[in-house]
């Protein structure tokens, strides 16, 4: 299996909405964004699948070293071998790839966030930075597109947090800010024990409104000159906003179920957005 094939398999197996937006890209961009996505999956899997925090930290330290080897032109892992060409062609800074690992390390160090400001730092590291790197791969003329890419990445992460409240709680994590829980009179125990209530529904409605505001902000920031180049991000946004609509329509039952869209529906939304330009 070649490094590109490894990354392709990693992306396809995940079933992520991101995968469907890659399908419409030219080959060089598709290979680069798939390698970037595979890297994100690798380091995220370290945190999610490794039960021993110390071992997870050791593995993330290895990935830090691997990024240094990538910069030196000597990557060892199939993902970083695939990233080598992408980094050279699209100028992907090692510092930003390291920041993604910074975000993963936050998962090893804390499982609660006091307020949205604290959560925003996490969202920036694990998703905003990815948005910035993706924007480099897709291409842009106006530097304002960087602000769009950052805010869109944050919107994606907020959507993930909403979708995965129950799943994260079963791993002992609560990403919803403590100040929000207090405002809506929902306790950590309510979430950890999957106790749905009217207060929880109002809390989740608030989270959905916040995520939606980031989508609106990002799309308003995207310069017209770069809209066509940045269509993959618009495709992902269309899929994720549809997911938010589904979660709300289901009554925000995220404590006990994981709302998702079928592959065919994701493909349809992606194609429709691509055609509209």
């Amino acid at each position: 299996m070649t490094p590109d094939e490894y990354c392709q398999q990693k992306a396809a197996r995940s079933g992520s909405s991101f995968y469907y937006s890659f399908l419409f890209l030219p080959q060089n961009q598709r290979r680069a964004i798939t390698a970037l996505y595979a890297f994100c999956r690798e380091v995220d899997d370290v945190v999610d699948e490794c039960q021993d925090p110390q071992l997870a930290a050791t593995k993330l330290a290895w990935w830090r070293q691997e990024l240094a080897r990538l910069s030196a032109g000597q990557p060892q892992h199939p993902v970083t071998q695939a990233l080598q060409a992408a980094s050279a062609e699209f100028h992907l800074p090692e510092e930003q790839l390291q920041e993604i690992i910074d975000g993963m390390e936050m998962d090893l160090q804390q499982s609660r966030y006091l307020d949205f400001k604290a959560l925003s730092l996490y969202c920036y590291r694990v998703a905003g930075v990815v948005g910035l790197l993706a924007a480099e791969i897709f291409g842009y003329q106006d530097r304002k597109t960087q602000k769009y890419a950052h805010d869109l990445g944050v919107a994606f992460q907020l959507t993930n947090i909403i979708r995965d409240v129950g799943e994260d709680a079963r791993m002992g994590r609560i990403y919803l800010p403590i100040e929000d829980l207090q405002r809506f009179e929902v306790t950590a125990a309510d979430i950890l024990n999957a106790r749905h209530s009217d207060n929880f529904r109002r809390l989740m409605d608030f989270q959905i409104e916040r995520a939606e505001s980031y989508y609106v902000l990002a799309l308003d920031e995207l310069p017209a000159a770069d809209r066509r180049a940045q269509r993959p991000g618009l495709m992902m946004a269309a899929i994720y906003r549809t997911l938010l609509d589904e979660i709300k329509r289901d009554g925000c039952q995220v404590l006990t179920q994981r709302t998702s869209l079928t592959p065919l529906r994701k493909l349809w939304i992606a194609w429709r957005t691509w055609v509209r330009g």
Side-chain angles (χ1 to χ4, degrees):
M1 186 183 296
T2 68
D4 286 329
E5 288 170 344
Y6 178 94
C7 293
Q8 174 70 20
Q9 186 179 89
K10 188 84 175 177
R13 192 167 57 237
S14 74
S16 169
S17 302
F18 293 83
Y19 174 72
Y20 294 91
S21 68
F22 304 164
L23 299 176
F24 298 84
L25 288 168
Q27 185 177 20
N28 65 326
Q29 290 180 318
R30 185 168 67 249
R31 290 172 61 184
I33 195 66
T34 301
L36 174 61
Y37 178 78
F39 167 73
C40 294
R41 285 256 46 93
E42 289 286 349
V43 294
D44 188 55
D45 288 348
V46 168
V47 175
D48 286 346
E49 297 177 2
C50 191
Q51 301 298 315
D52 183 346
Q54 190 170 3
L55 178 59
T58 300
K59 289 185 175 183
L60 288 180
W62 183 90
W63 276 104
R64 287 196 183 281
Q65 296 170 352
E66 179 66 357
L67 289 179
R69 288 190 287 269
L70 169 63
S71 294
Q74 299 175 320
Q76 298 176 1
H77 195 279
V79 165
T80 36
Q81 289 171 354
L83 263 178
Q84 188 170 22
S87 296
E89 182 175 359
F90 298 104
H91 311 292
L92 308 181
E94 179 193 341
E95 295 78 12
Q96 289 187 321
L97 293 169
Q98 294 281 7
E99 280 191 286
I100 296 172
I101 297 180
D102 290 341
M104 301 307 163
E105 286 184 334
M106 290 177 72
D107 275 331
L108 301 181
Q109 298 160 358
Q110 64 185 103
S111 57
R112 305 284 193 279
Y113 291 86
L114 179 61
D115 51 28
F116 184 64
K117 181 179 180 181
L119 181 63
S120 294
L121 174 60
Y122 174 76
C123 291
Y124 164 71
R125 286 175 170 173
V126 301
V129 171
V130 180
L132 293 171
L133 291 167
E136 294 293 334
I137 293 172
F138 301 149
Y140 60 87
Q141 303 172 37
D142 192 325
R143 293 187 67 83
K144 292 177 183 176
T145 295
Q146 292 178 318
K147 185 72 170 68
Y148 145 83
H150 165 271
D151 289 340
L152 189 62
V154 171
F156 291 150
Q157 187 59 29
L158 293 176
T159 304
N160 287 338
I161 288 171
I162 291 165
R163 180 196 61 197
D164 297 338
V165 170
E167 187 175 307
D168 290 331
R170 287 186 284 278
M171 293 189 289
R173 300 179 192 159
I174 301 176
Y175 291 99
L176 306 177
I178 293 172
E179 67 172 8
D180 292 350
L181 269 62
Q182 292 174 339
R183 174 180 173 183
F184 290 94
E185 300 180 351
V186 174
T187 67
D190 291 334
I191 294 175
L192 295 173
N193 293 296
R195 291 197 289 261
H196 188 91
S197 65
D198 289 341
N199 283 355
F200 178 78
R201 170 66 187 268
R202 285 191 285 270
L203 168 66
M204 296 313 300
D205 284 343
F206 177 74
Q207 303 303 316
I208 290 172
E209 287 173 11
R210 175 183 280 154
E212 190 59 42
S213 73
Y214 268 85
Y215 285 112
V216 172
L217 178 64
L219 297 179
D220 285 347
E221 291 166 336
L222 178 60
D226 291 332
R227 183 176 176 86
R228 188 170 183 83
Q230 295 295 321
R231 277 185 297 179
L234 300 178
M235 294 156 71
M236 289 183 277
I239 293 171
Y240 265 53
R241 293 177 91 177
T242 302
L243 177 63
L244 280 180
D245 289 341
E246 288 293 321
I247 291 172
K248 192 161 187 174
R249 188 175 297 114
D250 288 344
C252 299
Q253 299 291 332
V254 291
L255 290 170
T256 55
Q257 65 186 43
R258 189 178 192 268
T259 303
S260 62
L261 306 179
T262 65
L264 183 60
R265 191 173 181 191
K266 290 177 184 178
L267 187 60
W268 162 250
I269 295 169
W271 176 81
R272 183 183 61 192
T273 306
W274 181 268
V275 169
R276 289 177 177 176

